[in-house]
CSV table of all heavy atoms in Angstrom, one decimal:
chain,number,residue,atom,x,y,z
L,90,ARG,N,-7.2,-9.4,5.8
L,90,ARG,CA,-8.2,-10.5,5.3
L,90,ARG,C,-8.5,-10.2,3.8
L,90,ARG,O,-8.6,-11.2,3.0
L,90,ARG,CB,-9.6,-10.4,6.1
L,90,ARG,CG,-10.4,-11.5,5.7
L,90,ARG,CD,-11.9,-11.2,6.4
L,90,ARG,NE,-12.3,-9.9,6.0
L,90,ARG,CZ,-12.9,-9.4,5.0
L,90,ARG,NH1,-13.0,-10.3,3.9
L,90,ARG,NH2,-13.3,-8.3,4.9
L,91,ILE,N,-8.7,-8.9,3.5
L,91,ILE,CA,-8.9,-8.5,2.2
L,91,ILE,C,-7.8,-8.9,1.2
L,91,ILE,O,-7.9,-9.4,0.1
L,91,ILE,CB,-9.2,-7.1,2.0
L,91,ILE,CG1,-10.6,-6.7,2.8
L,91,ILE,CG2,-9.4,-6.6,0.7
L,91,ILE,CD1,-10.8,-5.2,3.0
L,92,MET,N,-6.4,-8.6,1.7
L,92,MET,CA,-5.4,-8.9,1.0
L,92,MET,C,-5.2,-10.3,0.7
L,92,MET,O,-4.7,-10.8,-0.5
L,92,MET,CB,-4.1,-8.4,1.7
L,92,MET,CG,-4.1,-6.8,1.8
L,92,MET,SD,-2.9,-6.2,3.0
L,92,MET,CE,-1.4,-6.2,2.1
L,93,ARG,N,-5.6,-11.2,1.6
L,93,ARG,CA,-5.5,-12.6,1.3
L,93,ARG,C,-6.4,-13.1,0.3
L,93,ARG,O,-6.1,-14.0,-0.4
L,93,ARG,CB,-5.7,-13.3,2.7
L,93,ARG,CG,-4.6,-13.1,3.6
L,93,ARG,CD,-4.9,-13.9,4.9
L,93,ARG,NE,-3.7,-14.2,5.8
L,93,ARG,CZ,-3.6,-14.0,7.1
L,93,ARG,NH1,-4.8,-13.7,7.9
L,93,ARG,NH2,-2.5,-14.2,7.9
L,94,LYS,N,-7.5,-12.5,0.2
L,94,LYS,CA,-8.5,-12.7,-0.9
L,94,LYS,C,-8.1,-12.3,-2.2
L,94,LYS,O,-8.7,-13.0,-3.3
L,94,LYS,CB,-9.9,-12.3,-0.4
L,94,LYS,CG,-10.5,-12.8,0.9
L,94,LYS,CD,-10.9,-14.4,0.7
L,94,LYS,CE,-11.7,-14.8,1.8
L,94,LYS,NZ,-12.0,-16.3,1.7
L,95,ALA,N,-7.4,-11.2,-2.3
L,95,ALA,CA,-7.1,-10.7,-3.7
L,95,ALA,C,-6.1,-11.6,-4.4
L,95,ALA,O,-5.1,-12.0,-3.7
L,95,ALA,CB,-6.6,-9.2,-3.6
L,96,PRO,N,-6.4,-11.8,-5.6
L,96,PRO,CA,-5.3,-12.6,-6.4
L,96,PRO,C,-3.9,-12.1,-6.4
L,96,PRO,O,-2.9,-12.9,-6.5
L,96,PRO,CB,-6.0,-12.8,-7.8
L,96,PRO,CG,-7.4,-12.5,-7.6
L,96,PRO,CD,-7.4,-11.5,-6.4
L,97,VAL,N,-3.9,-10.7,-6.6
L,97,VAL,CA,-2.5,-10.1,-6.7
L,97,VAL,C,-2.4,-8.9,-5.7
L,97,VAL,O,-3.4,-8.3,-5.3
L,97,VAL,CB,-2.4,-9.4,-8.1
L,97,VAL,CG1,-1.2,-8.8,-8.4
L,97,VAL,CG2,-2.7,-10.6,-9.2
L,98,LEU,N,-1.1,-8.9,-5.3
L,98,LEU,CA,-0.8,-7.8,-4.3
L,98,LEU,C,0.4,-7.0,-4.9
L,98,LEU,O,1.5,-7.7,-5.2
L,98,LEU,CB,-0.4,-8.4,-2.9
L,98,LEU,CG,-0.3,-7.3,-1.8
L,98,LEU,CD1,-1.5,-6.7,-1.6
L,98,LEU,CD2,0.3,-8.1,-0.6
L,99,ILE,N,0.3,-5.8,-5.1
L,99,ILE,CA,1.4,-4.9,-5.6
L,99,ILE,C,1.9,-4.0,-4.4
L,99,ILE,O,1.1,-3.3,-4.0
L,99,ILE,CB,1.1,-4.1,-6.8
L,99,ILE,CG1,0.4,-5.0,-7.9
L,99,ILE,CG2,2.1,-3.2,-7.3
L,99,ILE,CD1,-0.2,-4.3,-9.1
L,100,LEU,N,3.2,-4.2,-4.2
L,100,LEU,CA,3.9,-3.3,-3.2
L,100,LEU,C,4.4,-2.1,-3.8
L,100,LEU,O,5.2,-2.3,-4.8
L,100,LEU,CB,4.8,-4.2,-2.3
L,100,LEU,CG,4.3,-5.4,-1.5
L,100,LEU,CD1,5.3,-6.0,-0.6
L,100,LEU,CD2,3.1,-4.9,-0.7
L,101,ALA,N,4.3,-0.9,-3.4
L,101,ALA,CA,4.9,0.1,-3.9
L,101,ALA,C,6.0,0.7,-3.0
L,101,ALA,O,5.8,0.8,-1.8
L,101,ALA,CB,3.7,1.3,-4.0
L,102,LEU,N,7.1,0.7,-3.5
L,102,LEU,CA,8.4,1.1,-2.9
L,102,LEU,C,9.0,2.4,-3.4
L,102,LEU,O,8.9,2.7,-4.6
L,102,LEU,CB,9.3,0.0,-3.0
L,102,LEU,CG,8.9,-1.4,-2.6
L,102,LEU,CD1,9.6,-2.5,-3.2
L,102,LEU,CD2,8.9,-1.6,-1.1
L,103,ASP,N,9.6,3.2,-2.5
L,103,ASP,CA,10.1,4.4,-2.8
L,103,ASP,C,11.6,4.4,-2.9
L,103,ASP,O,12.2,4.2,-1.7
L,103,ASP,CB,9.6,5.6,-1.8
L,103,ASP,CG,10.2,6.9,-2.2
L,103,ASP,OD1,11.0,7.1,-3.1
L,103,ASP,OD2,9.7,7.9,-1.5
L,104,ALA,N,12.3,4.4,-4.0
L,104,ALA,CA,13.8,4.4,-4.1
L,104,ALA,C,14.4,5.5,-3.5
L,104,ALA,O,15.6,5.5,-3.2
L,104,ALA,CB,14.1,4.2,-5.7
L,105,CYS,N,13.8,6.6,-3.3
L,105,CYS,CA,14.4,7.9,-2.8
L,105,CYS,C,14.0,8.3,-1.4
L,105,CYS,O,14.6,9.3,-0.8
L,105,CYS,CB,14.1,9.0,-3.7
L,105,CYS,SG,14.5,8.8,-5.5
L,106,GLY,N,13.2,7.5,-0.8
L,106,GLY,CA,12.6,7.8,0.5
L,106,GLY,C,13.5,7.3,1.7
L,106,GLY,O,14.1,6.3,1.6
L,107,ASP,N,13.4,8.0,2.8
L,107,ASP,CA,14.1,7.6,4.0
L,107,ASP,C,13.1,6.8,4.8
L,107,ASP,O,12.0,6.7,4.6
L,107,ASP,CB,14.4,8.9,4.8
L,107,ASP,CG,15.5,9.7,4.2
L,107,ASP,OD1,16.4,9.1,3.5
L,107,ASP,OD2,15.5,11.0,4.4
L,108,ASP,N,13.6,6.1,5.9
L,108,ASP,CA,12.8,5.5,6.9
L,108,ASP,C,11.8,6.3,7.4
L,108,ASP,O,12.0,7.3,8.0
L,108,ASP,CB,13.8,5.0,8.0
L,108,ASP,CG,13.2,4.3,9.1
L,108,ASP,OD1,11.8,4.0,9.1
L,108,ASP,OD2,13.8,3.7,10.0
L,109,PRO,N,10.4,6.0,7.2
L,109,PRO,CA,9.3,6.7,7.8
L,109,PRO,C,9.3,7.0,9.2
L,109,PRO,O,8.7,7.8,9.7
L,109,PRO,CB,8.1,6.1,7.3
L,109,PRO,CG,8.5,4.5,7.1
L,109,PRO,CD,10.0,4.6,6.7
L,110,PHE,N,10.1,6.0,10.0
L,110,PHE,CA,10.1,6.1,11.4
L,110,PHE,C,11.3,6.8,11.9
L,110,PHE,O,11.6,7.0,13.1
L,110,PHE,CB,9.9,4.8,12.0
L,110,PHE,CG,8.6,4.1,11.7
L,110,PHE,CD1,8.5,3.0,10.7
L,110,PHE,CD2,7.5,4.4,12.5
L,110,PHE,CE1,7.3,2.5,10.5
L,110,PHE,CE2,6.3,3.7,12.1
L,110,PHE,CZ,6.2,2.9,11.1
Side-chain angles (χ1 to χ4, degrees):
R90 181 191 59 75
I91 294 165
M92 294 164 83
R93 284 180 166 142
K94 295 287 188 182
V97 175
L98 188 64
I99 300 172
L100 299 182
L102 304 154
D103 182 349
C105 301
D107 293 328
D108 179 355
F110 296 97

